[in-house]
Amino acid sequence: GDARRITFVCGAHKDCGVERRLVSQPDTRVAVEANSGIVHSTVPEDYDRKNAGLTKVEKRLFQTAKRFGATSSGVMKAAQEDAVKAGSVILDGGGVEGVANLQAYQDYHRSVVRSTRQPRPDKQFETRADLLNWMRDHALPPTVDEMDSDQLYAVSEVADIWNDMFPDVLGCGIVSKRCIEFMGQLIALGHAWALHGDGKHKLHHGRWVLTTFGTHSLVWDRACKTYRHSFRPLLYFFSREVESISAVRLAMVAMQISAVHFFGSRLKPAVTISDHSDGLRSGMHFANVDHLASQEEQDATPTTPHMSDWAHIATHYTQGKLVPKAHPYYDEVYFLLLCLHLTHTSEMKNLLQGMVITQLEEWIAEIKANNGGTEGGAYSL
């Protein structure tokens, strides 16, 4: 209540009563007042605020790992594994004894989440008729301007080809106004772009699993002086068949129907990107195939090339699956891969690629020389 003073409370110890007060004096000096007779408590404070989900040490580890390309889920899994190995796992609601491994920890955490989750009175879709009625109630409006930014819309036109082309798929393509705006930008784009698909198996409702399709852009973060990967969604696809080839093909059709509905033109991705899911890899090959064309024309349309997903490459690398963690150039190789990934133009990539290959060849020669001409650790490079 007094603008002339500021009180600081000790945050290094739990329930600590030690305080320091800075009081400004009339002659512009600042006096320091201490509550005498109070000593620090003996229990260290691990959190920087009361509602924090991570300790101060864990936050620093997060920040360090994120700078080197790790994902939040990867960092959390590694932290859980370390806690299990150390025997110091603290679960929601207090300590739990007998947690012998990471799987037991995760199973217990899921059971806690399920027990506290409130049942939702959402509409249940068991048949195509149920789903079709909902899709028609949320059908696409005639123009983009008529779309509500806070509402999701179903691509109900796929019902016209369900029985003929996808008799075994129960799925629904969903878009937002932002998705449609991204489609318009890609249709007007003058250079090639990549279509990325990924199944969100942790974001499921009952047996309905979400698969997202979109593209990425690199955005310069001025505050942190680094590039950020931003996902630009084009279509959300819920399906009972998860990532089957038929389900992914239906998603590709729903995406193209949305583009033609609003812009009168199809999307033309130059390449598709996904993990090693057979359904995604095979189904996204048909991204540029017109489902309304004759069978002869569809067979003559070249399939869209496929590339691996950088997020999975980075995850496998940090897990030591591509280059052993004990390799003398483990950190350096990952940095080179990251540099290649963050190139903006083909000219930049070609330049860096030549430099990276030259560097790798030098390391390979050095390793072979140090191992008497044998491969040693040169094979993984």
Side-chain angles (χ1 to χ4, degrees):
D2 191 339
R4 298 182 304 106
R5 66 188 183 198
I6 302 176
T7 302
F8 294 88
V9 181
C10 174
H13 304 88
K14 286 186 178 180
D15 303 321
C16 188
V18 174
E19 296 181 357
R20 294 291 185 270
R21 181 177 298 166
L22 303 183
V23 182
S24 61
Q25 304 295 326
D27 56 358
T28 69
R29 292 183 304 159
V30 176
V32 180
E33 299 178 357
N35 51 345
S36 59
I38 306 298
V39 296
H40 291 279
S41 63
T42 58
V43 181
E45 177 57 77
D46 296 327
Y47 298 89
D48 56 4
R49 50 189 175 85
K50 290 187 177 181
N51 62 341
L54 298 174
T55 65
K56 290 181 282 189
V57 173
E58 289 172 338
K59 286 186 176 181
R60 287 196 295 270
L61 292 175
F62 253 95
Q63 294 169 355
T64 302
K66 294 283 281 185
R67 285 202 300 269
F68 288 91
T71 62
S72 298
S73 59
V75 177
M76 281 301 298
K77 184 175 181 179
Q80 292 171 1
E81 290 175 338
D82 293 340
V84 169
K85 292 177 182 178
S88 60
V89 178
I90 303 296
L91 300 178
D92 296 338
V96 174
E97 298 180 357
V99 180
N101 52 55
L102 176 63
Q103 187 63 48
Y105 173 89
Q106 293 174 330
D107 290 343
Y108 175 81
H109 183 70
R110 292 190 190 100
S111 67
V112 171
V113 172
R114 292 192 188 102
S115 64
T116 57
R117 185 180 298 154
Q118 297 295 323
R120 299 179 60 184
D122 291 343
K123 182 175 178 59
Q124 299 297 316
F125 302 121
E126 299 296 338
T127 65
R128 288 196 175 196
D130 294 336
L131 182 58
L132 180 58
N133 290 333
W134 182 86
M135 291 168 65
R136 286 175 173 167
D137 290 338
H138 300 78
L140 297 173
T143 64
V144 180
D145 294 334
E146 297 178 60
M147 300 183 76
D148 188 338
S149 300
D150 299 323
Q151 183 175 339
L152 295 176
Y153 298 88
V155 188
S156 58
E157 287 87 342
V158 297
D160 299 334
I161 58 173
W162 257 355
N163 293 331
D164 296 332
M165 295 186 61
F166 307 99
D168 58 339
V169 178
L170 187 61
C172 176
I174 298 175
V175 296
S176 65
K177 183 177 182 180
R178 197 67 175 134
C179 293
I180 301 301
E181 290 173 343
F182 287 142
M183 288 185 187
Q185 293 179 29
L186 291 172
I187 289 174
L189 202 60
H191 57 78
W193 58 278
L195 177 64
H196 183 195
D198 191 17
K200 311 297 182 183
H201 296 273
K202 295 181 180 179
L203 298 177
H204 66 89
H205 298 273
R207 289 179 294 162
W208 293 82
V209 177
L210 172 66
T211 305
T212 58
F213 298 93
T215 190
H216 285 88
S217 66
L218 285 174
V219 179
W220 178 252
D221 188 331
R222 295 184 179 180
C224 298
K225 301 294 187 293
T226 186
Y227 282 109
R228 300 290 187 191
H229 240 165
S230 295
F231 180 65
R232 309 300 187 190
L234 302 177
L235 179 83
Y236 304 103
F237 190 76
F238 274 102
S239 173
R240 282 279 183 86
E241 283 68 37
V242 196
E243 294 174 358
S244 68
I245 297 177
S246 297
V248 176
R249 287 198 65 178
L250 178 57
M252 297 296 96
V253 171
M255 183 181 68
Q256 295 291 8
I257 287 177
S258 302
V260 174
H261 177 92
F262 289 105
F263 304 105
S265 181
R266 294 171 56 84
L267 292 165
K268 298 178 181 179
V271 67
T272 61
I273 300 176
S274 73
D275 57 16
H276 295 288
S277 164
D278 291 335
L280 279 173
R281 294 168 67 94
S282 301
M284 292 175 69
H285 275 317
F286 299 91
N288 287 312
V289 175
D290 188 352
H291 65 283
L292 297 178
S294 64
Q295 189 61 48
E296 292 76 12
E297 291 175 324
Q298 292 187 31
D299 294 339
T301 303
T303 56
T304 308
H306 183 273
M307 296 176 63
S308 297
D309 181 1
W310 162 254
H312 290 84
I313 293 175
T315 300
H316 290 163
Y317 191 95
T318 55
Q319 292 174 350
K321 296 180 179 179
L322 301 182
V323 174
K325 293 186 177 182
H327 196 282
Y329 294 110
Y330 174 81
D331 293 327
E332 290 84 349
V333 172
Y334 183 78
F335 177 74
L336 295 180
L337 291 176
L338 185 61
C339 289
L340 283 174
H341 173 60
L342 294 177
T343 53
H344 258 183
T345 65
S346 58
E347 291 79 9
M348 289 173 63
K349 186 170 185 179
N350 291 336
L351 174 64
L352 277 176
Q353 192 166 287
M355 298 170 65
V356 168
I357 291 176
T358 300
Q359 181 62 73
L360 291 178
E361 289 175 343
E362 292 179 1
W363 288 340
I364 290 172
E366 176 188 332
I367 293 173
K368 287 183 176 181
N370 294 335
N371 288 275
T374 60
E375 288 289 339
Y379 176 76
S380 56
L381 295 188

